[in-house]
Amino acid sequence: MSLLPARGAHGHGHDGGSSELLALLPVAAVVLLAACYLLLWRRARHRNLARAPGGARAALFVTGCVLLAAALSGPSHAFAERDFRGHMLQHLLIGMYAPLALVLGAPITVLLLALPAARVRRLTRLLRGRPARALTRPWVALLLSTGSLGALYFTPLYQATTTQPALHTLLHLHFLAAGCLFAWVVAGPDPAPDRPSVPARLIVLGVAIAAHAITAQLLYAGFLIGVHAPVTQIRGGAELMYYGGDIAELLLAAALVTSWRPAPAARPATRVAGDRTRCGSA
């Protein structure tokens, strides 16, 4: 599926020019996003070279934009429109791979360093507010990202998105937002309110891996699914979810472990002081 209206009885009335323009809008929006990030990144580097994300972070964000643009391009849209495997490929790109790369680009840090002081204070208050604290709890992020798969594939929701463009668009926006939220909470380099320990986040990631695997296996078996497509397409899509999801989550785990910095052991200051006292009295 894509952000573009699905073909069907209601799509034949559009002329070719309008369809081509509509097809370019999502990709143009992604290009604008990449340009804005690079502009802010350059400003952040100018203001505080020591704290600003380096070139590798910027390259990751641009990579995420490229993946997102590829998922929303005309060929990907056409493939997803006629084949469930195309939908699953888009789901992986929009909901897992692109969000991981975007989050690893540290966009919040770039904003905090590039914006004027007044806007930084407002952004900081927003990040520390109750809604942000609630959304960034690992289990909430897990439910929004992975939990929505059950609602999509085991209810009539998937079929509804194939005939209702507005619902279709909302679904892809949800994929992107939930994917970014989950990647940020689990392994994002940007600051997050009340971020739990690395072991706790690894447990949440393990639950996500298991949930993806179970969903893919149920799809492959055709058990209780609400997807109306040829068996070969459904099984192919399930295989893409199983293996493609595993790779994305292993990359997320690698990003988390790479950023893990164990806290230094505390020095037994009281005991040393006591030993010195005893030595002095002796």
Side-chain angles (χ1 to χ4, degrees):
M1 291 184 290
S2 76
L3 291 172
L4 307 174
R7 259 185 231 150
H10 300 287
H12 295 298
H14 298 292
D15 57 59
S18 299
S19 298
E20 290 177 3
L21 179 61
L22 199 61
L24 290 174
L25 287 178
V27 177
V30 175
V31 172
L32 180 61
L33 174 65
C36 289
Y37 172 89
L38 291 174
L39 178 64
L40 291 170
W41 175 79
R42 184 178 178 182
R43 184 179 299 173
R45 298 280 292 176
H46 178 72
R47 289 185 174 181
N48 195 328
L49 183 62
R51 293 181 56 197
R57 295 288 184 192
L60 282 167
F61 190 91
V62 172
T63 299
C65 290
V66 170
L67 292 173
L68 190 56
L72 299 174
S73 66
S76 296
H77 164 58
F79 182 33
E81 195 175 48
R82 67 175 184 268
D83 197 310
F84 181 71
R85 290 166 292 192
H87 153 77
M88 191 58 69
L89 180 60
Q90 278 195 321
H91 162 65
L92 289 171
L93 290 174
I94 296 174
M96 300 186 77
Y97 286 94
L100 175 58
L102 292 172
V103 166
L104 291 181
I108 295 176
T109 300
V110 169
L111 280 174
L112 291 173
L113 293 175
L115 292 177
R119 294 185 179 180
V120 169
R121 286 192 292 270
R122 286 197 291 269
L123 179 59
T124 302
R125 286 196 296 269
L126 181 64
L127 292 174
R128 292 176 177 174
R130 289 186 178 180
R133 290 178 183 275
L135 281 175
T136 54
R137 295 184 187 277
W139 298 105
V140 174
L142 175 68
L143 182 63
L144 290 174
S145 60
T146 307
S148 60
L149 297 178
L152 178 62
Y153 298 123
F154 303 115
T155 71
L157 178 59
Y158 172 79
Q159 291 305 132
T161 61
T162 63
T163 58
Q164 300 181 34
L167 187 59
H168 206 176
T169 299
L170 289 175
L171 178 66
H172 272 237
L173 291 174
H174 169 78
F175 275 158
L176 180 61
C180 288
L181 177 65
F182 187 72
W184 175 37
V185 169
V186 171
D190 286 322
D194 299 331
R195 177 170 277 156
S197 65
V198 169
R201 284 179 275 160
L202 283 172
I203 291 173
V204 172
L205 183 56
V207 173
I209 293 172
H212 267 106
I214 292 172
T215 303
Q217 290 168 357
L218 291 175
L219 274 173
Y220 191 89
F223 184 70
L224 296 178
I225 65 172
V227 178
H228 300 159
V231 174
T232 54
Q233 292 186 19
I234 293 177
R235 289 186 172 180
E239 290 175 345
L240 279 172
M241 174 186 280
Y242 189 88
Y243 296 109
D246 276 355
I247 293 172
E249 283 156 342
L250 286 174
L251 290 173
L252 185 57
L256 172 58
V257 173
T258 300
S259 65
W260 190 358
R261 298 290 184 271
R267 296 179 61 185
T270 304
R271 182 177 177 181
V272 171
D275 291 344
R276 287 178 179 176
T277 303
R278 288 194 294 270
C279 290
S281 61

